[in-house]
Amino acid sequence: MAEPEQVDVVVVGLGVGGEEVAGRLAEAGLSVVGVERDLVGGECPYWGCIPSKMMIRAANALAEARRVDGLAGAAEVRPDWAPVARRIREEATDTWDDRVAVDRFVGRGGRFVRGAGRLTGPGRVQVDDQVFQARYGVVLGTGTRPAVPPIEGLADTPYWTNHQAIEVEELPDSLLVLGGGAIGLELSQVFARFGVRVTVVEALDRVLAVEEPEASEVAAAALRADGVEIHTGVRAERVDHDGQRFTLRGSGGTSFTAERLLVVTGRRAHLEELGLDTIGVETGHRFLPVDDRMRVADDIWAVGDVTGEGAFTHIAMYQAAIVIADILDRARHSKAGADPSGTASVVGGAMGAASSLSTSGSSGSAGTVPRADYRALPRVTFTDPEVGAVGLTEQQARERGINVQVGFTKLSSSARGWIHGVGDEGFIKLVADADQGVLIGATSVGPAGGEVLSGLVVAVHAAVPLSQLRHMIYAYPTFHRAIEDALRNLS
Ligand SMILES: Cc1cc2nc3c(=O)[nH]c(=O)nc-3n(C[C@H](O)[C@H](O)[C@H](O)COP(=O)(O)OP(=O)(O)OC[C@H]3O[C@@H](n4cnc5c(N)ncnc54)[C@H](O)[C@@H]3O)c2cc1C
């Protein structure tokens, strides 16, 4: 085994979070090794956010064209998957090639190592026969992989995960979707709008179960209107594939068949692969527990989906900013100790980056390192209508014993909703803490539900008093003006 090579930082996993940490630290002058076993950029650009939103953009164009009748004349719609597959292949993923991303990282000053990284002791990472010893620490940004439930027969079938669904060149005639969460619903609606017969099977009693029940209802109704069959409260018990078609048998004697089966029942971090036992961290957790500076232990940080704080690109980026500030803070102190004159170039770079973060305004920041605060975590399911939400749902707030007030209004009763006509399904629901006089949660469902959400995120994040929200001016006739109606209905 080679002698360990001394570097400042090793980042294992260059998904959204890891790439940001590694690239920014390298730019600040630290010697950074970035380790990635698959594609630099991770799930989001190749099999997640970006290609799925390209699919949604195309599917929504079809849906809008189908709304021309009765609004603006007549339109003949002939869906064709070829341009969607081409855009994903050529524009989004370079046919699943990360050369550009690797060059970008190296261009920022990082050293790239392709392979699977594993801890072999404090600050020490092994990749094949190379070993690196990190002076300031190791960052784990290893993400998650699809969690495949232990359903009899499933493992022996050619089921799809999000990877095959995103890479598909020719659509199947029919698709079973196991899992009615955000990813399942987004992809179901896309494929249905392109003419695939889609059936969703969900074990819980409603789809999109983490959001408000009213959001589940609107989303389910929208998908049904697109021809999607939805079966809730059905537990999958057995899956068979006869070489042509899948059969899924569920609880209550239910049975479904289709050409393809997509499994989107959540995601799992594979902590057992990371060598955490060599640094005394238990591997029995579902995700890596971190403190509010994203530290797993003194010289090890985690970022992104692997932390279990929310499987979103914006969470990975938010956490990355904290990790970067914390490591640069450590580098600054370490350099100042070793070199009292503080003239090393990295110190200047480090200070600059750390202080710009500390002023970036994460609430709860102490000193130069901001602390993570997930109170105002926004999430958007990009179905049509979009389901945007922030903070607590009504039920979560009640379970915490908060003195809750709820305000609700349908989008169709706002001026803009009424003008919009067909496709105006949606609502605003506000959850307020009556004692504090602030919003602690909100849901915005509608044609621009994710965009309307932004004002509500500010309100929850900055704890804007309800009295101020009631006395601000909302542009007429916007969708977001419905927030004013929901505020009026708070009771
Ligand atoms: C279909 C789909 C749609 C989505 N849409 C959205 C959306 O609209 N908005 C949103 O915010 N989020 C969305 N997400 C979630 C988003 O993709 C993730 O939250 C994000 O990719 C998390 O980034 P990450 O860096 O934590 O992990 P990942 O992107 O999973 O990257 C982790 C990387 O680590 C590598 N790795 C793992 N172990 C090792 C190891 N031992 N050594 C070396 N490398 C390793 C992996 O190969 C991978 O490249 C979507 C996800 C899916 C699947």
Side-chain angles (χ1 to χ4, degrees), residues 362-388:
S362 173
S363 68
S365 70
T368 55
V369 180
R371 307 295 175 120
D373 171 4
Y374 303 105
R375 274 178 317 111
L377 167 58
R379 41 203 195 267
V380 179
T381 302
F382 292 87
T383 43
D384 171 19
E386 293 177 357
V387 176

Side-chain angles (χ1 to χ4, degrees), residues 316-461:
M317 298 295 281
Y318 174 76
Q319 294 176 332
I322 295 169
V323 173
I324 292 160
D326 203 23
I327 292 178
L328 291 180
D329 196 49
R330 177 166 295 183
R332 180 175 59 91
H333 282 106
S334 157
K335 286 276 176 187
D339 169 18
S341 68
T343 51
S345 65
V346 66
V347 179
M351 281 293 283
S355 58
S356 77
L357 276 164
S358 69
T359 54
S360 69
S362 173
S363 68
S365 70
T368 55
V369 180
R371 307 295 175 120
D373 171 4
Y374 303 105
R375 274 178 317 111
L377 167 58
R379 41 203 195 267
V380 179
T381 302
F382 292 87
T383 43
D384 171 19
E386 293 177 357
V387 176
V390 60
L392 301 179
T393 61
E394 179 184 353
Q395 189 187 335
Q396 288 168 338
R398 291 197 191 284
E399 282 167 2
R400 291 182 189 199
I402 294 167
N403 180 12
V404 171
Q405 281 187 316
V406 172
F408 184 91
T409 188
K410 276 183 137 185
L411 221 51
S412 55
S413 57
S414 72
R416 180 59 181 275
W418 178 78
I419 294 165
H420 197 78
V422 58
D424 69 352
E425 295 81 11
F427 62 85
I428 301 285
K429 179 171 176 177
L430 307 178
V431 180
D433 179 330
D435 297 336
Q436 303 297 321
V438 294
L439 292 183
I440 50 173
T443 300
S444 149
V445 181
E451 307 304 323
V452 169
L453 186 69
S454 69
L456 296 166
V457 177
V458 174
V460 175
H461 175 77

Side-chain angles (χ1 to χ4, degrees), residues 13 15-17 36-37 43 48-49 53 115 117 141-142 162 304-305 311-313:
V16 188
E36 171 56 51
R37 70 168 173 214
E43 205 71 3
C49 334
K53 266 78 251 177
T142 47
N162 61 301
D305 284 9
F312 300 104
T313 286

Side-chain angles (χ1 to χ4, degrees), residues 12-18 35-39 41-44 47-49 52-53 115-117 141-144 162 183 267 274 303-305 311-314 316 382:
V12 181
L14 298 183
V16 188
V35 186
E36 171 56 51
R37 70 168 173 214
D38 198 354
L39 296 181
E43 205 71 3
C44 180
W47 298 284
C49 334
S52 68
K53 266 78 251 177
T142 47
T144 55
N162 61 301
I183 295 173
R267 302 185 62 89
L274 301 177
V303 67
D305 284 9
F312 300 104
T313 286
H314 44 272
F382 292 87

Side-chain angles (χ1 to χ4, degrees), residues 145-151 154-155 159-161 263 265-268:
R145 295 205 290 275
V148 179
I151 298 166
L154 177 63
Y159 64 85
W160 280 0
T161 65
V263 178
T265 45
R267 302 185 62 89
R268 190 167 91 74

Side-chain angles (χ1 to χ4, degrees), residues 188-391:
S188 293
Q189 191 174 45
V190 165
F191 289 129
R193 287 180 165 184
F194 275 87
V196 178
R197 272 183 295 109
V198 180
T199 305
V200 175
V201 178
E202 165 58 56
L204 299 175
D205 63 357
R206 60 187 174 96
V207 294
L208 223 52
V210 295
E211 301 301 353
E212 296 282 8
E214 297 90 337
S216 304
E217 269 174 43
V218 174
L223 264 74
R224 285 191 171 115
D226 280 314
V228 177
E229 249 188 59
I230 298 180
H231 299 267
T232 53
V234 175
R235 248 179 317 99
E237 290 174 346
R238 188 178 166 82
V239 173
D240 292 289
H241 186 254
D242 65 5
Q244 301 288 320
R245 298 182 80 75
F246 287 85
T247 302
L248 185 152
R249 283 174 232 286
S251 52
T254 49
S255 176
F256 311 93
T257 65
E259 186 182 338
R260 291 285 174 193
L261 169 68
L262 169 62
V263 178
V264 273
T265 45
R267 302 185 62 89
R268 190 167 91 74
H270 290 260
L271 302 186
E272 72 284 356
E273 298 172 354
L274 301 177
L276 289 161
D277 49 319
T278 66
I279 58 161
V281 173
E282 246 190 78
T283 52
H285 303 284
R286 237 184 114 211
F287 297 102
L288 258 182
V290 286
D291 69 9
D292 59 2
R293 279 179 294 180
M294 317 318 306
R295 292 183 183 187
V296 180
D298 190 43
D299 56 359
I300 179 153
W301 290 260
V303 67
D305 284 9
V306 73
T307 67
E309 298 289 357
F312 300 104
T313 286
H314 44 272
I315 285 286
M317 298 295 281
Y318 174 76
Q319 294 176 332
I322 295 169
V323 173
I324 292 160
D326 203 23
I327 292 178
L328 291 180
D329 196 49
R330 177 166 295 183
R332 180 175 59 91
H333 282 106
S334 157
K335 286 276 176 187
D339 169 18
S341 68
T343 51
S345 65
V346 66
V347 179
M351 281 293 283
S355 58
S356 77
L357 276 164
S358 69
T359 54
S360 69
S362 173
S363 68
S365 70
T368 55
V369 180
R371 307 295 175 120
D373 171 4
Y374 303 105
R375 274 178 317 111
L377 167 58
R379 41 203 195 267
V380 179
T381 302
F382 292 87
T383 43
D384 171 19
E386 293 177 357
V387 176
V390 60

